[in-house]
Structure formats: C-alpha cells, structure tokens
C-alpha cells in the first residue's frame, strides 16, 4: 500500500470519527469533497478567554506522507496570537517536523509523532489559544502585548478579530 493510499484511508477515518463524535469547540470538513488532504476547520473561541464568541476559520493541509509528517495549519480568519504568524500559520510543537529541534528548544517527543491525530492537533490548538507560549513567539508583536499590555492592547486586538469573525459568518 502506498503512503498516499495509507494517508487517504487514515484521513477518511479521522474525518468520519470527528463528524460522528465532534469535539467541543470545533467542526471539521473538507474544503473540496474531492480532496481529503485539505480540511476546513471552524474553531470557536474558548470560553473565559478574550477569543470567546469568535468563530475562526482555519485550513489543515496534510502532506501525502501523513501520518509520518505533520499537516500545516493556517488560520484563514484574522487571528492575533503569540503562536500564530501574521500570515495565519499556527506554530506549535506538535506541528513541527519529527525529530530533534536544531535550535534545542523542543524535545523530540514534543514534536510531531505519527500517533498524533486531527483530534490531538485540535486539542493542542485549543490549549495554545487559551495558554500561549510567549517564550517562542511566531508573532513577536502579539507576544509583547501578551506580556506587557494583556488587558489593554492585546485584548483590544483579539476583540477586533472576534468581531471580524462574527461579521464573516
């Protein structure tokens, strides 16, 4: 069985599981019914965070070598967060290529492992949204606001994203 066939079967099963038993705070589907490798997610801002009330769209793009290699996740909706690049790409350990971190920041076991599923990715993203890692920011400006002006500028920027997400429903 080719890696692509294996990935297709696995993705089909994971999508069916998520549609049968959805995770709280998320919905998942395909961007195009003919492509199992590009998913669209709707992420609901976690309760008791500044993101609460937001509906954020994101894409999860899987490589043909999935699950040996991680997917790439990108917010399509504007998303102000220390661990999300300004272009929307999510930067969390489990989405980093497997193996040792050349910078020595992450342990190999914190990075992508083939046992991860879409569900573990989504749970990690909810955790990241609620509890950013400002030690290794993808968005330095958001990280500075998170550290220095949490209730002021950071909250204001997040709330602007939440309002925009509600307008785009």
């Amino acid at each position: 069985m080719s890696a692509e066939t294996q990935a297709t079967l696995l993705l089909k099963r994971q999508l069916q599981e998520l549609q049968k038993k959805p995770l709280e705070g998320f919905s998942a589907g395909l961007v195009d019914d003919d492509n199992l490798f590009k998913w669209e997610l709707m992420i609901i801002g976690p309760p008791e965070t500044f993101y609460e009330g937001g509906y954020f769209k994101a894409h999860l793009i899987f490589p043909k070598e999935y699950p040996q290699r991680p997917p790439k996740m990108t917010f399509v909706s504007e998303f102000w967060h220390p661990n999300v690049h300004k272009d929307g790409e999510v930067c969390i350990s489990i989405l980093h290529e497997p193996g040792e971190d050349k910078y020595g920041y992450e342990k190999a076991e914190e990075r992508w492992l083939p046992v991860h599923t879409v569900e573990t990715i989504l749970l990690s993203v909810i955790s990241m949204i609620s509890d950013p890692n400002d030690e290794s920011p993808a968005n330095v400006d958001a990280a500075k606001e998170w550290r220095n002006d949490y209730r002021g500028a950071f909250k204001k920027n997040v709330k602007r994203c939440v309002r925009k997400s509600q307008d785009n429903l």
Side-chain angles (χ1 to χ4, degrees):
M1 182 184 311
S2 76
E4 188 173 341
T5 307
Q6 190 180 0
T8 301
L9 293 171
L10 185 58
L11 287 170
K12 199 178 282 186
R13 192 171 69 234
Q14 289 183 16
L15 182 61
Q16 287 169 341
E17 280 290 305
L18 280 172
Q19 289 174 335
K20 236 189 309 184
K21 294 188 322 211
L23 281 177
E24 196 170 318
F26 284 98
S27 68
L30 299 178
V31 171
D32 167 3
D33 286 341
D34 296 328
N35 183 358
L36 260 172
F37 290 87
K38 187 172 184 180
W39 292 25
E40 184 167 87
L41 307 171
M42 183 59 78
I43 300 164
I44 299 164
E48 298 176 31
T49 69
F50 295 149
Y51 301 92
E52 185 172 17
Y55 296 90
F56 303 99
K57 192 182 290 185
H59 287 159
L60 203 50
I61 311 292
F62 296 89
K64 302 286 185 230
E65 305 82 9
Y66 179 80
Q68 301 310 313
R69 294 192 49 234
K72 181 177 171 183
M73 183 173 171
T74 306
F75 277 96
V76 178
S77 304
E78 191 177 328
F79 201 80
W80 188 253
H81 190 281
N83 305 119
V84 176
H85 291 277
K86 290 182 181 176
D87 68 1
E89 187 177 343
V90 174
C91 181
I92 56 176
S93 299
I94 76 160
L95 293 179
H96 294 160
E97 290 290 338
E100 292 299 318
D101 177 12
K102 65 182 176 189
Y103 303 108
Y105 182 75
E106 301 166 328
K107 297 182 187 88
E109 59 270 15
E110 294 173 324
R111 296 166 70 88
W112 181 256
L113 297 168
V115 297
H116 286 301
T117 62
V118 173
E119 186 172 336
T120 60
I121 294 166
L122 297 178
L123 292 171
S124 293
V125 168
I126 282 290
S127 174
M128 170 210 76
I129 292 170
S130 303
D131 187 21
N133 174 1
D134 64 346
E135 298 296 311
S136 173
N139 180 334
V140 175
D141 296 330
K144 281 183 188 166
E145 285 181 6
W146 167 262
R147 267 188 237 128
N148 304 330
D149 195 7
Y150 181 72
R151 298 222 173 273
F154 183 78
K155 179 180 180 180
K156 185 175 154 198
N157 277 317
V158 170
K159 289 298 186 187
R160 181 178 41 77
C161 293
V162 168
R163 276 192 308 280
K164 266 187 167 176
S165 78
Q166 293 165 338
D167 292 344
N168 294 329
L169 281 179

